[in-house]
Amino acid sequence: MAIVGSGPSGFYAVGDLLKDPDRKVEVDLYDRLPTPFGLVRAGVAPDHPKIKNVIKVYEKSAEDERFRFFGNVTIGEDIHHAELAERYHVILYTFGARVDRQMGIPGEDLPGSHSATDFVAWYNGHPDYCDREFDLDCERAVVIGNGNVAMDVARMLSVSREQIAKTDIADHALEALADNPIREVVILGRRGPAQAAYTNPEVLELEALTIADVNVDPEDAKLDPLSQKALDGGMLDKTRRRNVEIVADYAAKQERMRDKQITLRFLRSPVEILGSDRVEGIVVARNELHRDADGAIRSRQTTDRETIECGLVLRSIGYKGVPIEGVPFDEQHGTIPNNGGAVIDPATEKKIPGLYVAGWIKRGPSGVIGTNKRDAQETVGLILEDLAEGDLPERVDTDRDSTEAWLLERVPDLVTYEGWQRIDAAEKAAGEPDGRPRAKLARWDELLAAAKG
Ligand SMILES: Cc1cc2nc3c(=O)[nH]c(=O)nc-3n(C[C@H](O)[C@H](O)[C@H](O)COP(=O)(O)OP(=O)(O)OC[C@H]3O[C@@H](n4cnc5c(N)ncnc54)[C@H](O)[C@@H]3O)c2cc1C
Ligand SMILES: NC(=O)c1ccc[n+]([C@@H]2O[C@H](COP(=O)([O-])OP(=O)(O)OC[C@H]3O[C@@H](n4cnc5c(N)ncnc54)[C@H](OP(=O)(O)O)[C@@H]3O)[C@@H](O)[C@H]2O)c1
């Protein structure tokens, strides 16, 4: 079978499929990058090294003889879905959600306004982003959205050189981020402290892992009547209750002694980004909360406006999946329509034999690495049921030995798992003298040359 996308969902599916050593399955894992592990390599922040230890689990799965990795192959461009469907009984799509969502406000495309998606990929050494430029020469940056990605990017703007020098951050980003002149990072949440999307450790790390004080205006920390009622009525989960306490603690703090400041604002939505030839400020609306028909607490803008001067805007309002030609796609949600992981034809709602999905492209861009384990297990369960019932399509060509030659005709710089291991060894060796876990190769040519050895 073919799995497309070697992030957590792809690798958890591999692990599950190959768990039984006697199971007669062979798995080819494809990725458009020469490097595996998806957002564990290209998303997880450099100052979170422990989280990347999960890679050891994936490496264990890759040792199995029934496993092969084919990197530097973009499905939909180098190889088409229809071609995979000729060769593999099962295709499992796990290619994540790799683009940013837009806000649709004036000024969004001004120089100095970027998506967190791009910024994260740049500091993590994703080869598509190594030549991006982020002008950090300003006093204040504004981050829109208050999920955990917003916490990551706010933190990365507020660290000292020492705090990141020994990480696997891309070299170009280390030089740009260390000693950057930004004095304040303002994080805008469109709802209140009780609805913030970040989790407890991540909001605490804004201070714990940076050289910044975290500020909250006591007025901003106060809950609106709806949220207060939800808190009093025991309707907030543990994470949200603790988030409310953390914000109250930040608001009560008296000392502001550190080099930088991070300010958490709530009930604020961006309306317009200002500037003639680059970002100079952002107009934000004050919001109020209401309960909508399905019972959720949502924000709506009032007529109150204020302008925050700033030279950099990072919008961190979530990721979005992109379609692959020939595979059904739900444009609105940026996902592949499915029933528990079995892809369905949206017109008939009938299952498409042999086609499955897991991870962010199945359920949308939410959840931590571990969430993809359960998600992949659910899908693999369906695949195994269909296998047992003989419910998989016939394929024209299933000769495993011919695959690599076929791919090499189409992608001369194909990267196998051995190729990745050469990249891995080169990066680790380059990082070692400076006490870093690795010095990432961030350019396509460097990666492909290292893969060849
Ligand atoms: C910035 C950021 C930081 C995060 N930090 C953490 C954290 O610290 N802890 C935590 O638990 N979770 C974290 N997460 C969440 C976690 O990374 C995701 O839950 C997880 O990576 C989703 O897994 P996935 O396999 O669905 O997608 P991905 O990890 O995105 O993997 C998809 C893979 O598919 C490949 N691909 C895409 N298109 C194609 C194509 N056409 N052909 C071939 N291959 C393709 C990509 O190159 C990629 O390797 C973070 C997420 C982000 C965005
Ligand atoms: N350390 C970690 O564990 C870690 C690190 C990074 C990412 N992750 C995980 O990866 C997933 C994705 O994270 P994410 O931060 O990209 O997404 P997220 O958690 O969904 O947060 C998105 C944020 O954007 C806001 N938003 C959406 N549309 C907006 C708009 N039009 N205007 C203003 N604000 C808007 C949301 O507000 P509303 O809530 O009001 O919609 C929310 O605050 C999450 O599950 C996250 O936990 C984990």
Side-chain angles (χ1 to χ4, degrees), residues 75-209:
I75 303 304
E77 289 177 23
D78 299 313
I79 299 288
H80 293 281
H81 166 72
E83 296 173 295
L84 285 184
E86 278 176 16
R87 296 185 82 92
Y88 294 97
H89 293 102
V90 169
I91 305 169
L92 166 54
Y93 282 118
T94 54
F95 57 85
R98 67 186 168 92
V99 301
D100 56 289
R101 290 182 52 232
Q102 303 270 317
M103 296 179 301
I105 60 169
E108 193 164 2
D109 298 324
L110 272 174
S113 165
H114 307 273
S115 71
T117 313
D118 291 6
F119 187 61
V120 163
W122 169 76
Y123 67 60
N124 275 323
H126 188 301
D128 285 348
Y129 297 82
C130 63
D131 291 324
R132 290 292 171 94
E133 289 194 0
F134 295 89
D135 185 352
L136 307 180
D137 193 12
C138 61
E139 286 260 311
R140 184 180 295 115
V142 169
V143 177
I144 298 164
N146 63 9
N148 282 333
V149 173
M151 299 300 107
D152 281 353
V153 300
R155 220 174 52 248
M156 295 310 289
L157 290 171
S158 313
V159 284
S160 65
R161 180 177 289 274
E162 296 69 48
Q163 284 168 324
I164 47 172
K166 299 239 180 285
T167 68
D168 66 0
I169 189 169
D171 291 346
H172 53 248
L174 172 61
E175 285 319 310
L177 287 171
D179 315 317
N180 77 70
I182 294 169
R183 296 290 101 199
E184 187 187 17
V185 179
V186 178
I187 303 174
L188 298 179
R190 65 177 167 180
R191 296 186 287 162
Q195 293 83 28
Y198 50 64
T199 39
N200 308 154
E202 284 69 24
V203 66
L204 288 167
E205 283 172 358
L206 286 181
E207 223 171 51
L209 296 184

Side-chain angles (χ1 to χ4, degrees), residues 4-10 30-33 35-40 42-45 48 51 73-76 94-98 120 123 126 149 152 319 324 358-361 363 366-370 372:
V4 179
S6 67
S9 56
Y30 287 86
D31 205 286
R32 61 181 291 273
L33 292 182
T35 54
F37 313 136
L39 286 168
V40 180
V44 172
H48 278 165
I51 289 172
V73 185
T74 302
I75 303 304
T94 54
F95 57 85
R98 67 186 168 92
V120 163
Y123 67 60
H126 188 301
V149 173
D152 281 353
Y319 284 59
I324 282 184
W360 276 17
I361 195 62
R363 64 176 196 277
S366 72
V368 293
I369 293 168
N372 302 294

Side-chain angles (χ1 to χ4, degrees), residues 160 181-184 211-213 256-261:
S160 65
I182 294 169
R183 296 290 101 199
E184 187 187 17
I211 50 169
D213 289 306
R256 305 274 182 269
M257 307 285 287
R258 300 171 101 186
D259 289 354
K260 299 197 181 219
Q261 303 297 316

